[in-house]
Amino acid sequence: MDFELTSEQIQVRDMVREFAQREVAPYIQEWDAKGEYHPEVLYKMGSLGILGLPIPERYGGGGFDYVSFALACEELEAVDTFLRVVMSVHVGLNSLTLHQWATEEQKQRWLVPQAKGEKLATFGLTEPGAGSDAGNIQTRAVRDGDYYILNGEKMWISLANTADHFLVFATLDPSKKHHGLVALMLERGMEGLTTGSIHGKLGVRAGDTGWLNFQNVRVPVENRIGEEGEGFKIAMSAIDQGRFTVAAGAVGLIRAAMEASIKYCHEREAFGQPIGKFELVQQMIAKMVAGYEASRLLVMRAAELKNRGIRNTRETSLAKWFACDKAFEAANDAIQIHGAYGYSNEYPVERYMRNARGAVIYEGTREIHQILQAEYALGYRTDRPLRCPQPPAQAWESEAAARA
Amino acid sequence: MKIVVLVKQVPDPNAVRFDPRTGDIQSGTPQVANEYDLHAMEAAIQLKERRDDVELVAVSLGQARETLNRCLAMGADRAVAIEDATLAAGDSTVTARALAALLRAEGFDLLLAGQETSDGGTGTVGPQLAALLDVPVVSNVVALEERDGVFVAQREIEDGRQVLEVTPPAILCALSGLNEPRYPSLKGIMAARRKPTETKTAADLGLSAAEAQARVTWGPLFQEEETAEGIILRDVDADSAVDQLVAFLQERKLI
Ligand SMILES: Cc1cc2nc3c(=O)[nH]c(=O)nc-3n(C[C@H](O)[C@H](O)[C@H](O)COP(=O)(O)OP(=O)(O)OC[C@H]3O[C@@H](n4cnc5c(N)ncnc54)[C@H](O)[C@@H]3O)c2cc1C
Ligand SMILES: Cc1cc2nc3c(=O)[nH]c(=O)nc-3n(C[C@H](O)[C@H](O)[C@H](O)COP(=O)(O)OP(=O)(O)OC[C@H]3O[C@@H](n4cnc5c(N)ncnc54)[C@H](O)[C@@H]3O)c2cc1C
């Protein structure tokens, strides 16, 4: 077990940190307050290669490992959650899922431009009537010769209005529940596909969250990812990647809350001494430190498994649940430490709290992760091998091939 | 055309903390590339982008692996790290001698350096190299282009700029107005995996013990006591207080 980062991982971390600190940090308070979305930031991320970070070089990506990927998510969310959300949907839920499940031809068509940052991508599973209960989605796909006719609606979709590519899930037969789902790649511009924004969100206000609507969208059969009936498995393996980015991002949010709190502890005096001297304040700082370190270790363990292409559903779920709970707790305590100032947007901590709240809901609610962890522990749940297992990181490809 | 860029790794000026007891920089302070040196690097890359015959080498003396990696990721073709414990305690003359020994062997058409560093900050390494290597040096460079093998530089002078032309080989010392250094892209970081970094010691450079001996001794660092005293106007009415303040500011040409 080696806790040292390699020089390459440090370079990736520093580059992403510099980008986020310079291009977003000075403006984020205003963007968030006004609910302004700045897609040009995403295009810049694309030109720097951030949007293809863990995708192998042969598909136009950076070929970096999952530790680097986690560090990038951490740095992005330390500045604002909307930046990490891009990594979750574009890279985690969409591109890495194509890398795992798509045919070579499909990878050339969609994965390559996504990895190069030329096209933006998202993931549409949640519907107005079904979130956690994803086997119960109502969007219908009906086979018609070489096409599927798609009708329905998706809700709470990140990058809904910005994405060029959409990985969406539909049911071929609602009576089959999980076994009736199919995964389809849609492209903006397809007739009958419309998108819109959701307003009035508690957090991620600088980000694009919206809905997708399908009215008789004709989706060619060659846009199907995997087989008919494999949709649920594909969605769940996508979520194994998405959750990883959310967990890694939460580590960054804890760090931001902790750094802001430590700074304030030194600046603010009460009863004749810096508030950092009060033991009850110290307790909050201590919990942030523990939450940060423990979350980071859980993320790094999942990263290690992912690097080697080993199934990590259980470990990733644990990292996601734990890190997101700790992030919300840290942000909430950061407000407490800042007193009334923490309650205003003069300081960043109220934004951290609003942003952290969402992650306790998306990519598996807190309750869903608790169920998963208990079921694994009780022996009610085991992971069966997938037809297309999650591929290892580029540097582990030959090792994984030798093992297989 | 061969361009060599000198880059020094320095403690991050935004994060540096001193140990109040010893006057030394606290260990664990993050290290970064000296700011002006990144501008020098960027200028070199921009020249390289305009011609297809440029070899670009980044050179550093001291612990600078991260900084050299950054230069490779930005676009340098290769890097040379001079790492030697005997040189680490050197003064700026020792630094210049070691760099000069390497540069004699390397050769260059253009040597780009920063105007000064944010740690040592003597601003003398560029000019000392000019003397040791017998080449011209242009300081305070804020604009640069190459025209038919001649370097056309703009120098920042008080209240303005001066245009100079210099034929190679030459040394230019960069200021931050020169350009906006790029981020090393992930593509650049990937490409850097396959670029070589050579390590040299004082012996490799043929430096004698006498040449590596510092003659200036580096003392402790300390912060000066705040000495400027404020002026407080007491027992005056508002109008005369305003008049006095305005007069005070005008006298110092502050308004
Ligand atoms: C900012 C944001 C961005 C999002 N981006 C995307 C996106 O890009 N793509 C996408 O597809 N979705 C996205 N989502 C949707 C998100 O994944 C869902 O909100 C999430 O899966 C929960 O579903 P739900 O909101 O329908 O809640 P429900 O599933 O209706 O849950 C309601 C409550 O019931 C609890 N509950 C449900 N089932 C159980 C159970 N079996 N046992 C115990 N408790 C249970 C839940 O934990 C929760 O507390 C996003 C959401 C947000 C807020
Ligand atoms: C720990 C420590 C101990 C020191 N001990 C002594 C001592 O005992 N006696 C003493 O006199 N000084 C000492 N110094 C100062 C040190 O020797 C000088 O900082 C160094 O020689 C370079 O001078 P400078 O930083 O002033 O560079 P400047 O002249 O300000 O730099 C101008 C430009 O020259 C180039 N350059 C400068 N240094 C390097 C380098 N190392 N590698 C590559 N390019 C470079 C860069 O492009 C830079 O922008 C010490 C410094 C440190 C950090």
Side-chain angles (χ1 to χ4, degrees), chain B residues 79-124:
Chain B
V80 183
I82 307 173
E83 288 177 2
D84 195 309
T86 60
L87 299 175
D91 54 20
S92 62
T93 307
V94 172
T95 301
R97 281 193 198 117
L99 291 170
L102 177 88
L103 291 165
R104 270 187 212 106
E106 277 281 345
F108 59 86
D109 297 294
L110 177 62
L111 178 67
L112 275 158
Q115 178 64 28
E116 64 177 20
T117 59
S118 59
D119 64 343
T122 64
T124 58

Side-chain angles (χ1 to χ4, degrees), chain A residues 68-387:
Chain A
S68 305
F69 187 30
L71 293 169
C73 292
E74 176 179 334
E75 292 305 327
L76 292 171
E77 191 150 6
V79 171
D80 193 73
T81 300
F82 98 91
L83 289 171
R84 190 271 307 148
V85 167
V86 181
M87 302 301 271
S88 300
V89 294
H90 176 92
V91 186
L93 292 164
N94 191 313
S95 300
L96 283 169
T97 309
L98 293 181
H99 181 37
Q100 179 170 354
W101 292 92
T103 63
E104 189 56 35
E105 210 182 326
Q106 292 175 326
K107 288 182 197 176
Q108 294 301 331
R109 183 165 165 201
W110 294 303
L111 177 58
V112 170
Q114 288 176 197
K116 289 182 174 167
E118 296 163 0
K119 296 285 180 193
L120 282 173
T122 188
F123 175 89
L125 177 63
T126 308
E127 298 185 352
S132 308
D133 186 8
N136 195 31
I137 56 174
Q138 299 301 315
T139 295
R140 274 303 284 273
V142 177
R143 182 80 181 245
D144 176 20
D146 290 340
Y147 289 88
Y148 293 98
I149 312 295
L150 193 66
N151 278 290
E153 196 176 1
K154 297 287 171 186
M155 185 80 175
W156 298 112
I157 307 307
S158 306
L159 301 191
N161 299 292
T162 327
D164 305 291
H165 299 164
F166 306 82
L167 179 60
V168 303
F169 297 82
T171 176
L172 293 162
D173 180 353
S175 71
K176 288 192 182 158
K177 293 269 175 188
H178 306 79
H179 302 290
L181 303 197
V182 63
L184 301 170
M185 267 305 260
L186 270 58
E187 293 175 352
R188 187 175 293 280
M190 283 182 161
E191 213 178 314
L193 165 65
T194 48
T195 65
S197 300
I198 294 174
H199 297 288
K201 283 175 295 177
L202 177 68
V204 207
R205 289 200 192 154
D208 166 17
T209 317
W211 48 262
L212 316 175
N213 190 286
F214 319 114
Q215 295 243 358
N216 293 318
V217 183
R218 288 176 71 78
V219 187
V221 168
E222 63 259 27
N223 288 37
R224 187 187 69 219
I225 307 299
E227 303 295 332
E228 290 189 355
E230 259 181 351
F232 190 77
K233 287 191 175 124
I234 295 172
M236 291 306 116
S237 53
I239 282 175
D240 274 354
Q241 304 289 32
R243 286 174 178 168
F244 176 72
T245 62
V246 175
V251 173
L253 197 145
I254 303 173
R255 194 184 82 204
M258 181 167 73
E259 283 174 356
S261 299
I262 290 171
K263 187 158 174 271
Y264 196 76
C265 279
H266 291 313
E267 288 167 10
R268 180 74 177 179
E269 292 199 359
F271 299 96
Q273 54 180 341
I275 59 168
K277 297 281 181 188
F278 298 118
E279 287 177 6
L280 288 173
V281 172
Q282 290 180 358
Q283 184 180 46
M284 291 188 270
I285 299 286
K287 281 190 194 163
M288 290 180 196
V289 173
Y292 173 69
E293 296 291 344
S295 301
R296 200 162 200 254
L297 287 173
L298 289 175
V299 168
M300 289 305 162
R301 181 167 64 137
E304 240 345 89
L305 295 171
K306 284 178 189 289
N307 277 344
R308 290 185 283 141
I310 294 171
R311 187 67 178 263
N312 55 78
T313 306
R314 181 177 182 171
E315 293 78 7
T316 301
S317 151
L318 180 59
K320 193 274 173 188
W321 167 38
F322 188 82
C324 293
D325 266 8
K326 292 297 161 192
F328 181 70
E329 194 180 299
N332 198 19
D333 280 347
I335 293 181
Q336 197 65 22
I337 288 174
H338 283 69
Y341 290 104
Y343 197 63
S344 90
N345 69 1
E346 194 178 320
Y347 285 87
V349 289
E350 58 85 37
R351 176 168 54 87
Y352 299 155
M353 193 269 273
R354 290 186 285 103
N355 285 347
R357 192 63 191 85
V360 185
I361 297 168
Y362 53 68
E363 303 265 13
T365 64
R366 176 177 62 203
E367 292 70 33
I368 293 298
H369 289 292
Q370 289 174 351
I371 292 169
L372 285 174
Q373 292 306 318
E375 286 183 353
Y376 278 120
L378 290 162
Y380 302 161
R381 172 180 287 269
T382 47
D383 293 318
R384 260 170 261 131
L386 294 167
R387 182 174 66 81

Side-chain angles (χ1 to χ4, degrees), chain B:
Chain B
M1 180 162 61
K2 182 161 176 180
I3 306 179
V4 178
V5 181
L6 299 180
V7 285
K8 186 182 186 186
Q9 188 162 298
V10 296
D12 184 346
N14 299 319
V16 72
R17 296 255 180 290
F18 292 101
D19 185 326
R21 283 167 302 129
T22 61
D24 288 336
I25 291 174
Q26 277 181 1
S27 65
T29 299
Q31 303 286 308
V32 295
N34 182 48
E35 191 198 334
Y36 290 149
D37 303 359
L38 289 179
H39 292 276
M41 190 67 214
E42 177 63 34
I45 299 166
Q46 288 184 12
L47 291 173
K48 183 180 162 76
E49 282 171 344
R50 278 183 220 122
R51 300 170 54 124
D52 46 20
D53 64 342
V54 174
E55 189 195 9
L56 177 49
V57 188
V59 172
S60 192
L61 186 159
Q63 281 298 329
R65 283 306 163 104
E66 293 80 17
T67 292
L68 288 175
N69 282 338
R70 183 185 178 107
C71 293
L72 292 172
M74 283 173 80
D77 296 305
R78 61 190 176 85
V80 183
I82 307 173
E83 288 177 2
D84 195 309
T86 60
L87 299 175
D91 54 20
S92 62
T93 307
V94 172
T95 301
R97 281 193 198 117
L99 291 170
L102 177 88
L103 291 165
R104 270 187 212 106
E106 277 281 345
F108 59 86
D109 297 294
L110 177 62
L111 178 67
L112 275 158
Q115 178 64 28
E116 64 177 20
T117 59
S118 59
D119 64 343
T122 64
T124 58
V125 168
Q128 289 195 63
L129 283 170
L132 291 168
L133 300 169
D134 195 21
V135 290
V137 57
V138 178
S139 60
N140 298 316
V141 172
V142 287
L144 173 64
E145 49 181 324
E146 182 253 350
R147 278 187 223 142
D148 307 322
V150 177
F151 299 109
V152 184
Q154 291 185 15
R155 249 183 112 232
E156 190 167 272
I157 52 175
E158 212 171 322
D159 296 332
R161 288 186 176 194
Q162 175 186 27
V163 180
L164 293 108
E165 291 188 6
V166 55
T167 53
I171 302 179
L172 304 183
C173 302
L175 285 179
S176 52
L178 184 54
N179 50 41
E180 188 57 42
R182 69 194 63 195
Y183 305 108
S185 71
L186 291 182
K187 285 261 182 296
I189 296 174
M190 277 151 57
R193 287 173 197 160
R194 292 177 273 273
K195 293 176 177 176
T197 299
E198 246 180 300
T199 309
K200 302 269 189 196
T201 61
D204 294 336
L205 300 172
L207 232 59
S208 68
E211 284 171 308
Q213 180 61 50
R215 293 181 51 202
V216 179
T217 310
W218 190 254
L221 302 163
F222 61 93
Q223 257 175 342
E224 252 179 321
E225 297 285 330
E226 298 268 347
T227 48
E229 263 182 45
I231 298 172
I232 299 171
L233 302 174
R234 281 184 226 276
D235 305 326
V236 286
D237 62 60
D239 284 346
S240 83
V242 169
D243 289 344
Q244 286 183 49
L245 273 175
V246 169
F248 174 86
L249 292 170
Q250 273 171 344
E251 193 187 318
R252 284 164 182 73
K253 300 206 169 10
L254 292 171
I255 53 173

